[in-house]
Amino acid sequence: MKGKRCVFILMAALIALSSVIMFSVEAEADGFRKRLVKFDGKVTKGKLDSRGNLIFIGRGTWNAPLKIRFSPFVRVYFELAPFIETEAHGILGEYTVTFTFVPKARGASHQNLRFRITNRDGDEITSNGVAAPNGSGWAIGLATELEPFEIHVSYSSEKSKDLTPVDSEQSNPS
């Protein structure tokens, strides 16, 4: 009887400790909610424009500015891992940008995301992209052969096959 009481007290203490840890430490980091991301290791604070787009501005590893704009619907349906990585002369292409999105609404998928990449003149740049499972979300790698200046990420209710899926057995696109 005394042994069962000790186990009960120990379990109650463990549950209480777990609850304290869960409420005092943020369990999931979301770059959209906090409006903070690490852009190639440097913390960047996002700003809202007049249309509700959240914009992060950083420098790509190719040493040029890069603006990334997320539409309000992307922020409703997804969480953004709090880091954005760029790469020059990578495997996917000359200029590569990698994000990780986690769906927070049923039915939302990486196939709902649309990416528009433009150069300094505002002309759209041809790109290719891959999507690889990453935990409960997707790591998205976008690559272009011309230097990107702005990437606009939007949401569509229609699913597309714009991103090439990568098996989890293969290496991560980052």
Side-chain angles (χ1 to χ4, degrees), residues 25-40:
V25 177
E26 193 171 324
E28 292 181 19
D30 180 1
F32 293 147
R33 188 176 60 229
K34 296 288 187 180
R35 294 186 188 171
L36 291 173
V37 296
K38 281 191 175 183
F39 202 112
D40 283 334

Side-chain angles (χ1 to χ4, degrees), residues 77-129:
Y77 291 106
F78 295 91
E79 292 179 2
L80 174 68
F83 54 86
I84 297 171
E85 298 291 329
T86 65
E87 181 182 16
H89 316 294
I91 295 171
L92 295 177
E94 190 67 21
Y95 304 96
T96 305
V97 180
T98 305
F99 314 91
T100 300
F101 292 98
V102 177
K104 59 182 176 181
R106 181 178 286 253
S109 162
H110 68 285
Q111 294 175 329
N112 296 108
L113 295 171
R114 301 293 181 271
F115 301 93
R116 184 172 185 268
I117 304 173
T118 58
N119 62 15
R120 281 187 188 277
D121 298 328
D123 300 324
E124 192 162 356
I125 298 173
T126 303
S127 64
N128 59 37

Side-chain angles (χ1 to χ4, degrees), residues 4 18 22 30-31 35 42 48 54 70 72 84 90 92-93 99-100 111 122 125 141 145 152 169:
K4 286 184 181 181
S18 297
M22 282 178 28
D30 180 1
R35 294 186 188 171
K42 184 178 179 186
L48 288 174
L54 181 60
F70 297 96
I84 297 171
L92 295 177
F99 314 91
T100 300
Q111 294 175 329
I125 298 173
E145 295 304 315
H152 183 205
E169 307 295 318

